[in-house]
Amino acid sequence: MKSAFLFPGQGSQSVGMLSDAASEWPIVAETFSEASAALGYDLWQVCQEGPAGELNQTTVTQPALLTASVALWRQWCQAGGPRPDYVAGHSLGEYSALVVAESLGFAEAVKLVRLRGELMQGAVPAGEGKMAAILGLEDQEVVAACESASQGDVVSAVNFNAPGQVVVAGSAAAVERAIEACKEKGARKAMPLPVSVPSHCALMRGAANKLAEALEDVSFNDAVIPVVQNVHAGVESEAAILRENLLKQLYSPVLWTDSVRKLMQEGVTVAAECGAGKVLAGLAKRIDRSLAVHGLENPESFSVALDAFNKS
């Protein structure tokens, strides 16, 4: 039996996250201090006191979630938790996975994800991009709806999160047309998301080009733990491929359903959601209920996860 660590992306943040963990484990405060030094402001204070509007700014959200995941991983290591056989992260979470796999340094990753947020925010003028969640349709039905709704504009299926749960992104007008097309196809829900950045679509190619320039100065190592990457749901360990796929990820769909299924094909039977929230555990239940996903964000759930991993 094999195990995996899963790292959440944007949407898992909340004001007060990891407060219980910090009261028990000094490594949490130490990790956030390290991140704050790299960023030049008190990241922990924003996470604990907000306001939510500040924490939800993508340039803050991305370093915050990365740091939370790395803090919990460090506590796992201190507690003697076994090393997982695989790691995978949802969108932003892939950076956390690469840090844990020792492919990317933590301080460098913190700066990179802040830059990633800045580039994503600046790639599309405010109000011109949009994302929407589509519930209750097959993947190919959503893809077809986007094709019919494009009319020369950018709109595509970008997050294949679980069966019957797909996110689309693109120019605002095209996304609105896609919402209506999905409703006509019988979607249970088709609703805009409260985000201004249309992630993982072709509108992010410019941001990817600028991120590529920054990555030229960043050292990547081969991963010590194999990584299942978003863009193709394949297992990778080679530094050059990990870097290349990290760039493609900005303008390519997140194949999360396929990634979880790939982990299970590799023999994974137990997993931990290493970060804030329970989003990935919820998605796993929709993908395959036989995969047990344990949270690590508080001491009680952490203890349960540790027992489960030690028994696997």
Side-chain angles (χ1 to χ4, degrees), residues 25 27 71-82 296 302-303 306-307 310:
W25 304 321
I27 194 68
L72 292 174
W73 167 253
R74 289 176 171 178
Q75 176 57 33
W76 180 266
C77 294
Q78 282 196 355
L296 299 181
F302 188 99
S303 178
L306 201 55
D307 287 343
N310 284 326

Side-chain angles (χ1 to χ4, degrees), residues 63 120 219:
M120 291 169 68
S219 175

Side-chain angles (χ1 to χ4, degrees), residues 68-100:
S69 289
V70 172
L72 292 174
W73 167 253
R74 289 176 171 178
Q75 176 57 33
W76 180 266
C77 294
Q78 282 196 355
R83 192 168 82 173
D85 297 289
Y86 299 93
V87 292
H90 188 287
S91 187
L92 162 71
E94 192 159 283
Y95 286 78
S96 305
L98 291 176
V99 172
V100 165

